[in-house]
Amino acid sequence: MADAAWVREQAALSLGRVWPRLAARFEEQAAASREAWQAFEARLRREWERLFGLLVGLYGEHYDFFYHLEEILAAAARSWLARPDWLKDLDARRETDPAWFQSQRMVGGVCYVDLFAGTLAGLREQLPYFKELGLTYLHLMPLFEVPEGNSDGGYAVSSYRRVDPKLGAIDDLAELAREFQSHGISLVLDFVFNHTSDEHEWAQRARAGDPECRDYYYIFPDRTMPDAYERTLREIFPTVRRGSFTYREDMHSWVWTTFNSFQWDLNYANPSVFRAMAEEMLFIANAGVEILRLDAVAFIWKRMGTSCENQPEAHMLIQAFNTLARIAAPAMLFKSEAIVHPDDVLSYIGPNECQISYNPLLMALLWEALATREVKLLAYSMNKRFKLPHGCAWINYLRSHDDIGWTFDNADAEYVWIDPAGHRKFLNAFYIGRFERSFARGVPFQENPDTGDARVSGTLASLAGLEQAIQAGDEQLIDLAVRRILMLHSIILSIGGIPLIYLGDELGTLNDYTYAANPAKAGDSRWVHRPLLDEQRMRLRHDPASRPGWIFAELTRLIRLRKQQPAIWDGAMDVIESGNPHLFGYVRHNAGQRLLVVANFSEQPQELDGNRLRVYGLGYQFTDLITGQACSADAALRLEPYQCVWLEVKP
Ligand code: GLC
Ligand code: GLC
């Protein structure tokens, strides 16, 4: 790796050479919008050294490096000049308020366009619903052109520039983004950049033998290389096919396919791939995306003899993409999707890499604590691992379109006297109905016959016990299930970061087993928790006597409450020692407000000692903001089954 002084020197030299060429190339456009061009130049100069260092580190050995460098900058310039004015205004606004996403007013939602509203036009009509819920962030699941039939829920992209015609067109997307932004809702889209579908133009050309496009992927004539790599690879989708490579009859070759066989991994060791994907990224940015979800970040760089996950170059690539975004689409933030070991999750988070990240550890451990009724692993892990670098935020979620994997750290588990392997087995059994006294109705995902590993599918409500309780017709069990659902939400709404609601969960949507009858979906149990929007449920939301209405009313009340608490600004949070194995608690304080949150993970009432209330709450008299009830540190605080309190000191 080149040293810093050398990079500085060479960066200056290269900019001196490349800038006049760029200025000449864009002379006309620059003259037409002088101010915009100057802003571009200023940002490029500011970010240049970092960008140059990263690109030299990744591609400096290529004889044609300078050509790629120039083309990458030209792409950035082109994209900036084409950036719509409303986004340039947003860029300026965000630059003066870079911490905007740390606000307690932030609340996220995620949905599929087709399943939620049919088309993009239909989705625009749902704007009042999103506002009623209080969303300020809307993640639309992949909506670009994909192959017919199985497309991994849109994650096999055939074009990053054309919207799936069944949903609408790219202009509909851009208009939606603008309209939603004017109502305070930021658009979030995926950048599925680890792989394309086998129908992407590049893949088609590779199939036809085009050598340049073959180099966009990992294509091997025989098993020699695949066998050598597979010695150290993890299998991600073992029920799709064993190993990570797919034999293509039409090419007489093996193609690297980490996920489904029709998802071809891109070869980022090739600078042309980085350049091409950078152009696609900037195109997506200009459609009005404010937060870009970087899909499957862990897998983007391969190195023989390793797991080919979380390689140092993966970080350099993301940082290089990030720097380009800083230059040509500065309002856009990156969100990392790394569902891996907690140390690795953290490694992607930073102001220069991904400012935002899913928090798969909190998600998994909330379910873990629900199953065991004990919070020791949750409390220990959050105490150790919740803190993020300045300027970064967690996305806290309970369910997503994906499965649940038990990604906690083994040593953390052992520290609290839990056998990690046995515990994972228990959790799988608990959530997929192989543990007799479980309340959950989940379905196994990707069980590996060799290792016995599995992950879990299921909707929030079904995993939290509502499905089973309704079938049993037992009002008491229904009550407990709804309490679980609300308690989990009370935590992600108050712990710090952006809470993300998997739309449908706000109405208590249950598992949908009809996927098993659809050949394009039957092999992938994640469809059990990707149901069509249930209009009946949605209509019931204003009827508090109904179950959907009960959940919806409580959840929207919690959301409104969150938005009024300055203490929830930013991610700083201190886990408390509750002294009760069933109580998880933490303190938040900011702008003169202090909140003590305590949640009961058992179906029995539990007590928090009065002394601890005083010590952590820093007071004697408190109000629970959720129920409005008063309590005093003179006595122990009693929490009902699955109750969560947000205690504020009484002035
Ligand atoms: C991400 C997505 C998942 C998809 C995979 C391959 O993990 O969340 O749904 O299967 O990437 O794109
Ligand atoms: C694996 C991957 C993760 C992906 C998931 C999809 O867990 O690590 O990125 O979301 O598979 O099921």
Side-chain angles (χ1 to χ4, degrees):
M1 187 54 117
D3 70 45
W6 183 88
V7 166
R8 192 167 317 128
E9 212 175 278
Q10 296 302 315
L13 207 62
S14 282
L15 190 60
R17 288 173 181 156
V18 79
W19 179 254
R21 295 170 59 87
L22 211 61
R25 204 160 151 181
F26 290 94
E27 199 179 351
E28 243 172 72
Q29 294 102 306
S33 43
R34 194 144 297 286
E35 225 178 286
W37 186 252
Q38 278 165 358
F40 177 78
E41 182 180 356
R43 287 200 303 269
L44 176 63
R45 291 191 182 279
R46 191 180 71 202
E47 307 290 342
W48 173 250
E49 203 176 293
R50 191 148 46 92
L51 180 64
F52 178 83
L54 290 162
L55 293 177
V56 143
L58 287 162
Y59 304 120
E61 307 283 294
H62 289 255
Y63 82 90
D64 53 357
F65 174 67
F66 190 80
Y67 163 77
H68 288 291
L69 193 64
E70 184 171 339
E71 290 308 305
I72 289 166
L73 293 187
R78 239 185 340 262
S79 168
W80 168 251
L81 290 167
R83 191 159 168 85
D85 285 338
W86 75 273
L87 284 171
K88 288 192 177 123
D89 291 345
L90 190 66
D91 292 329
R93 261 198 287 145
R94 295 306 191 208
E95 242 167 342
T96 61
D97 179 21
W100 64 275
F101 59 97
Q102 306 281 8
S103 166
Q104 68 274 18
R105 282 184 297 278
M106 291 295 295
V107 175
V110 48
C111 68
Y112 289 87
V113 176
D114 56 343
L115 299 177
F116 197 84
T119 60
L120 284 168
L123 198 82
R124 277 175 83 172
E125 288 169 21
Q126 296 288 359
L127 178 63
Y129 181 73
F130 300 137
K131 289 176 73 176
E132 183 184 343
L133 200 51
L135 301 188
T136 62
Y137 156 132
L138 183 65
H139 174 199
L140 299 182
M141 294 297 292
L143 42 69
F144 290 103
E145 209 174 84
V146 290
E148 259 318 300
N150 188 354
S151 64
D152 191 18
Y155 281 100
V157 177
S158 301
S159 163
Y160 299 90
R161 301 195 178 218
R162 284 191 302 272
V163 166
D164 181 344
K166 291 199 270 312
L167 305 178
I170 193 77
D171 293 340
D172 301 324
L173 179 67
E175 279 167 31
L176 179 144
R178 187 175 182 170
E179 185 185 357
F180 279 31
Q181 170 51 234
S182 72
H183 289 269
I185 299 179
S186 303
L187 178 66
V188 185
L189 283 190
D190 280 87
F191 184 39
V192 186
F193 72 132
N194 174 68
H195 43 262
T196 72
S197 89
D198 60 356
E199 291 183 9
H200 191 285
E201 190 195 330
W202 304 331
Q204 283 187 18
R205 282 173 32 200
R207 271 151 63 185
D210 176 339
E212 231 178 294
C213 284
R214 282 178 68 98
D215 281 347
Y216 273 42
Y217 302 97
Y218 293 92
I219 298 173
F220 304 106
D222 55 43
R223 283 294 307 179
T224 318
M225 293 298 277
D227 284 342
Y229 276 115
E230 270 178 2
R231 275 195 278 278
T232 49
L233 291 181
R234 173 165 82 104
E235 289 177 286
I236 305 302
F237 280 180
T239 65
V240 164
R241 133 229 86 225
R242 300 318 302 266
S244 299
F245 298 83
T246 299
Y247 186 68
R248 293 289 305 208
E249 212 52 78
D250 55 346
M251 303 162 75
H252 303 292
S253 303
W254 291 87
V255 183
W256 198 316
T257 55
T258 298
F259 295 92
N260 288 286
S261 300
F262 49 82
Q263 288 165 302
W264 290 16
D265 287 48
L266 284 163
N267 171 14
Y268 279 95
N270 176 357
S272 299
V273 169
F274 177 82
R275 179 165 55 80
M277 287 304 283
E279 287 184 31
E280 303 313 272
M281 176 189 78
L282 293 174
F283 179 85
I284 295 172
N286 279 358
V289 174
E290 274 194 80
I291 299 179
L292 192 67
R293 175 191 183 276
L294 271 64
D295 181 60
V297 290
F299 301 91
I300 58 174
W301 192 272
K302 327 287 187 197
R303 171 172 283 113
M304 181 67 78
T306 72
S307 65
C308 297
E309 292 182 42
N310 311 305
Q311 294 299 304
E313 289 85 351
H315 297 288
M316 294 166 68
L317 281 167
I318 300 169
Q319 287 170 24
F321 281 125
N322 183 309
T323 313
L324 279 174
R326 293 281 71 71
I327 295 168
M332 191 169 73
L333 299 174
F334 281 14
K335 169 171 87 155
S336 140
E337 191 251 348
I339 314 301
V340 286
H341 185 276
D343 291 342
D344 294 319
V345 173
L346 200 62
S347 72
Y348 294 94
I349 308 173
N352 295 329
E353 197 165 330
C354 295
Q355 299 92 340
I356 299 178
S357 166
Y358 281 98
N359 192 347
L361 186 63
L362 175 66
M363 184 277 291
L365 292 181
L366 287 171
W367 290 107
E368 185 269 346
L370 265 194
T372 60
R373 280 75 165 171
E374 294 206 349
V375 304
K376 60 185 181 183
L377 185 54
L378 172 65
Y380 179 77
S381 307
M382 286 307 120
N383 185 35
K384 182 169 162 188
R385 300 179 180 278
F386 192 82
K387 198 169 163 30
L388 287 184
H390 182 72
C392 298
W394 288 119
I395 295 283
N396 297 314
Y397 64 113
L398 302 167
R399 289 300 295 117
S400 73
H401 67 289
D402 277 333
D403 44 289
I404 303 178
W406 309 108
T407 58
F408 55 80
D409 175 60
N410 289 350
D412 289 359
E414 280 155 6
Y415 188 86
V416 294
W417 305 105
I418 288 175
D419 160 40
H423 203 53
R424 287 194 180 93
K425 271 207 191 89
F426 158 72
L427 291 167
N428 277 329
F430 187 93
Y431 280 107
I432 62 186
R434 294 181 190 158
F435 182 81
E436 214 187 317
R437 288 176 46 220
S438 169
F439 48 74
R441 279 279 163 82
V443 180
F445 178 64
Q446 298 296 335
E447 276 189 296
N448 187 325
D450 297 344
T451 60
D453 285 346
R455 311 197 290 269
V456 176
S457 295
T459 68
L460 168 75
S462 288
L463 293 177
L466 192 58
E467 186 176 325
Q468 208 184 84
I470 289 175
Q471 266 158 13
D474 185 327
E475 285 303 325
Q476 218 175 335
L477 294 183
I478 292 174
D479 180 68
L480 287 177
V482 173
R483 282 163 179 264
R484 285 188 197 101
I485 292 171
L486 294 173
M487 178 193 68
L488 292 178
H489 280 109
S490 312
I491 294 175
I492 61 163
L493 286 168
S494 62
I495 197 164
I498 305 173
L500 177 61
I501 297 169
Y502 186 63
L503 294 179
D505 286 349
E506 76 284 14
L507 300 165
T509 305
L510 302 179
N511 283 349
D512 173 7
Y513 298 97
T514 59
Y515 79 96
N518 179 340
K521 296 181 175 174
D524 190 332
S525 72
R526 290 174 298 174
W527 288 101
V528 84
H529 55 250
R530 300 171 181 175
L532 266 177
L533 173 80
D534 182 343
E535 307 214 0
Q536 160 78 353
R537 241 170 226 288
M538 205 175 195
R539 275 194 300 273
L540 283 174
R541 73 183 186 278
H542 296 136
D543 171 7
S546 72
R547 255 164 249 130
W550 175 13
I551 297 173
F552 188 84
E554 278 304 301
L555 186 57
T556 44
R557 199 168 68 83
L558 286 168
I559 289 172
R560 285 195 296 272
L561 203 58
R562 161 189 163 90
K563 294 189 177 191
Q564 293 155 14
Q565 311 314 319
I568 302 177
W569 196 90
D570 198 332
M573 179 276 292
D574 296 309
V575 176
I576 67 163
E577 280 187 36
S578 72
N580 177 325
H582 311 291
L583 296 182
F584 175 55
Y586 45 86
V587 173
R588 303 218 26 120
H589 48 96
N590 175 50
Q593 190 195 26
R594 188 178 180 89
L595 275 188
L596 172 59
V597 175
V598 187
N600 176 6
F601 275 77
S602 101
E603 54 263 85
Q604 308 296 329
Q606 298 294 334
E607 289 194 342
L608 181 77
D609 189 71
N611 279 329
R612 289 184 203 258
L613 258 183
R614 268 203 316 280
V615 168
Y616 292 118
L618 289 185
Y620 291 94
Q621 306 296 330
F622 302 90
T623 310
D624 169 23
L625 299 179
I626 295 182
T627 57
Q629 271 166 10
C631 72
S632 139
D634 292 340
L637 170 72
R638 180 186 151 108
L639 282 102
E640 296 305 321
Y642 299 119
Q643 186 180 5
C644 179
V645 292
W646 294 1
L647 300 178
E648 187 184 34
V649 188
K650 264 197 199 159

